[in-house]
Amino acid sequence: MSISRRRFLGWMGAAGMGVTLGRSARAAGPKTFPGYPESVGVLFDSTLCIGCRRCEAACNKVNHLPPPERPFDDLTVLEEPRRTRWDSYMVINKYYPNGRENPPAYGRMGCNHCKEPACASACFVRAFAKEPTGAVTYDETVCVGCRYCMIACPFEIPTYEYHKVLAPRISKCTLCQPRLLKGLLPGCVEACPTEALTFGKREDLIRSAHQRFRMHPGRYMEHIYGEHEMGGTNWLYLSGVPFAEIGKREDLGTRAAPEFTAGALAAVPLVVGLWPVLLTGIYAISRRKEKMADEERTAAVADAVAKTQAASDEKLSAAMEKAKKEKESAVEGAVKKALEEAEKARKAEMAEAEKTETPEAGAGEKAGKDSEEGA
C-alpha cells in the first residue's frame, strides 16, 4: 500500500510525538557498520563486457518495468551517456578512453549497494535497509517523498517517479533481492553471455579479482573499485582503463558516507520528534485555508447562480410580455381585417341588390303608360 504526502501529513499529525521518536534514523550515529560477512555481490569485469545490453533487458523483465522507448537490441543508444531512471535500474554506457579509432570500453551504472548506504543514513523513516544478503532495499509504504536519499547518494543513483502525482516512489536496483531469497541469480548476471558479471560472496569475488590480476598482468588497473570506496560496496568493478574513463568517481575516498553525516543526522531523531507538532500546525493551517477557500468558492458560485437566475427571469418576463403584446396586436389586426372584409361583403351585397331592383321598377312604369294610352 502506497501513501501520499498528503496522507502522511495527516497521520503524522495524529500519531503524536511518541511514535515518531521511536523511529530513529539508522546509521546516523558515529558508529560504523562493517557489513554482513556472508553478504553476496556482483563483480563487473569491464574488459569482458561487449555492450550487448542483455543485462538491461533482463533487469527490465525481472523487475516488471515498462519497455524502453528504443528496444534493447538498438545498440546506437550506447553512443550517448545515459543514467538510471525510474523505469531502468541499470544501464551500460560505451566510452572511448583511447579515441574512437580504438576499441571502446564499457561501464555499468546502477546501485552499488554500499556496505553503509548513504541513502539509509539520510532516510529518517527508514525506507531503506541494508539486508544480510548485501542488498539495499526500499520500502515504498513508509517513504514520504523527501528525496534526501537522492541528495545523499554519492553515486547519484536513486531516481524519482515525478510523473506520479499521488504516490511517487524512489526507484533503484534491488540486487534482485526477491530472487536471492529464492536462491536465484540476479537477472542481469543470469543473462550475461560473456561472464562479464560474476555473482558470489563478496569476499570470494575480491579473491577472484586478485587472482585475475595475477593471471593477466597488464590487462587490468590493479584496483578493485568498490572494495574500499565509500566504505565498500557489494557491486565490485574491474577495468583495463582508469575508472574515471568508464564513468566512475575516483574522488570519493574510503570513508563510509555515515561518517560524514553523523553530526548532522544524529539530530534527526529529535527533529523527527518535533515534526508531528510542526506538521500538525501546518496541516491545521492548510485545512483552514482550504475550508475558507471552499466557502468562498461556494459563496461565489451561489452568487453567480442567483445573478444568472435573476437575469434569466428578467429575460423570460420580457419575452413573455413581448409575446403577449404581439399576440394582442395580432388578434386586433385579425379582428380589424375580419370587420373590414365583412363590411366590404355587406356593401357588395347591397350594391347587387340595388341593381336587381332597378329593372323591375322601369318595367312597371312602362306598363302604366301603355294602359293610360289605351284608355
Side-chain angles (χ1 to χ4, degrees), residues 102-179:
N102 295 301
Y106 297 93
R108 176 228 180 228
M109 186 176 189
C111 180
N112 293 315
H113 299 275
C114 304
K115 291 168 64 176
E116 294 187 79
C119 55
S121 69
C123 183
F124 59 84
V125 294
R126 297 177 67 177
F128 291 90
K130 182 68 174 179
E131 305 291 346
T133 58
V136 177
T137 58
Y138 165 72
D139 184 356
E140 66 181 74
T141 64
V142 298
C143 178
V144 297
C146 67
R147 287 164 282 178
Y148 290 168
C149 54
M150 296 175 63
I151 299 172
C153 179
F155 302 106
E156 301 179 349
I157 295 302
T159 58
Y160 193 65
E161 294 178 328
Y162 288 101
H163 64 289
K164 292 187 177 181
V165 178
L166 297 179
R169 300 172 300 174
I170 294 293
S171 298
K172 73 171 199 68
C173 164
T174 64
L175 197 60
C176 285
Q177 171 73 356
R179 292 174 61 86

Side-chain angles (χ1 to χ4, degrees), residues 15 24-25 29 35 44 56 89 96 120 122 126 131 152 167 219 270 282 302 308:
S24 59
F44 173 77
E56 291 185 31
Y89 291 172
Y96 295 93
R126 297 177 67 177
E131 305 291 346
R219 179 175 180 176
L270 176 61
I282 294 174
T308 302

Side-chain angles (χ1 to χ4, degrees), residues 59-332:
C59 177
N60 182 278
K61 182 179 179 180
V62 301
N63 288 291
H64 309 291
L65 299 174
E69 296 178 1
R70 295 161 68 177
F72 289 108
D73 58 3
D74 182 358
L75 303 185
T76 60
V77 300
L78 298 175
E79 299 301 326
E80 299 257 341
R82 297 175 297 150
R83 61 153 297 158
T84 56
R85 302 180 351 138
W86 66 271
D87 56 353
S88 58
Y89 291 172
M90 67 167 289
V91 296
I92 298 295
N93 284 323
K94 182 191 289 187
Y95 302 91
Y96 295 93
N98 299 313
R100 289 185 173 267
E101 66 277 6
N102 295 301
Y106 297 93
R108 176 228 180 228
M109 186 176 189
C111 180
N112 293 315
H113 299 275
C114 304
K115 291 168 64 176
E116 294 187 79
C119 55
S121 69
C123 183
F124 59 84
V125 294
R126 297 177 67 177
F128 291 90
K130 182 68 174 179
E131 305 291 346
T133 58
V136 177
T137 58
Y138 165 72
D139 184 356
E140 66 181 74
T141 64
V142 298
C143 178
V144 297
C146 67
R147 287 164 282 178
Y148 290 168
C149 54
M150 296 175 63
I151 299 172
C153 179
F155 302 106
E156 301 179 349
I157 295 302
T159 58
Y160 193 65
E161 294 178 328
Y162 288 101
H163 64 289
K164 292 187 177 181
V165 178
L166 297 179
R169 300 172 300 174
I170 294 293
S171 298
K172 73 171 199 68
C173 164
T174 64
L175 197 60
C176 285
Q177 171 73 356
R179 292 174 61 86
L180 298 184
L181 296 178
K182 295 178 182 179
L184 301 174
L185 289 172
C188 57
V189 176
E190 190 174 66
C192 183
T194 62
E195 297 186 356
L197 298 174
T198 306
F199 175 81
K201 290 185 178 180
R202 185 176 185 273
E203 298 305 320
D204 292 342
L205 294 177
I206 292 174
R207 283 193 288 270
S208 174
H210 284 290
Q211 185 177 6
R212 296 187 194 194
F213 294 159
R214 292 191 295 270
M215 292 177 61
H216 305 283
R219 179 175 180 176
Y220 298 98
M221 304 295 296
E222 293 199 12
H223 174 70
I224 306 170
Y225 191 93
E227 182 178 9
H228 301 294
E229 276 76 11
M230 296 302 297
T233 63
N234 283 71
W235 265 82
L236 305 168
Y237 300 84
L238 297 180
S239 175
V241 297
F243 287 98
E245 300 289 342
I246 58 169
K248 296 299 178 186
R249 291 184 60 180
E250 293 185 325
D251 60 341
L252 297 177
T254 60
R255 293 175 60 190
E259 293 186 39
F260 296 98
T261 58
L265 292 177
V268 166
L270 176 61
V271 174
V272 173
L274 294 176
W275 266 43
V277 178
L278 175 62
L279 294 180
T280 299
I282 294 174
Y283 182 71
I285 293 171
S286 176
R287 290 294 300 165
R288 178 171 174 77
K289 287 183 177 179
E290 289 177 2
K291 183 179 179 181
M292 292 175 64
D294 288 340
E295 291 175 352
E296 290 176 357
R297 281 194 295 269
T298 302
V301 170
D303 184 57
V305 169
K307 289 181 178 179
T308 302
Q309 187 64 42
S312 178
D313 292 345
E314 185 178 350
K315 288 182 179 180
L316 179 60
S317 178
M320 291 178 67
E321 184 66 25
K322 182 179 179 181
K324 182 180 178 182
K325 290 181 179 180
E326 289 176 350
K327 184 178 180 180
E328 291 176 351
S329 178
V331 170
E332 290 177 0

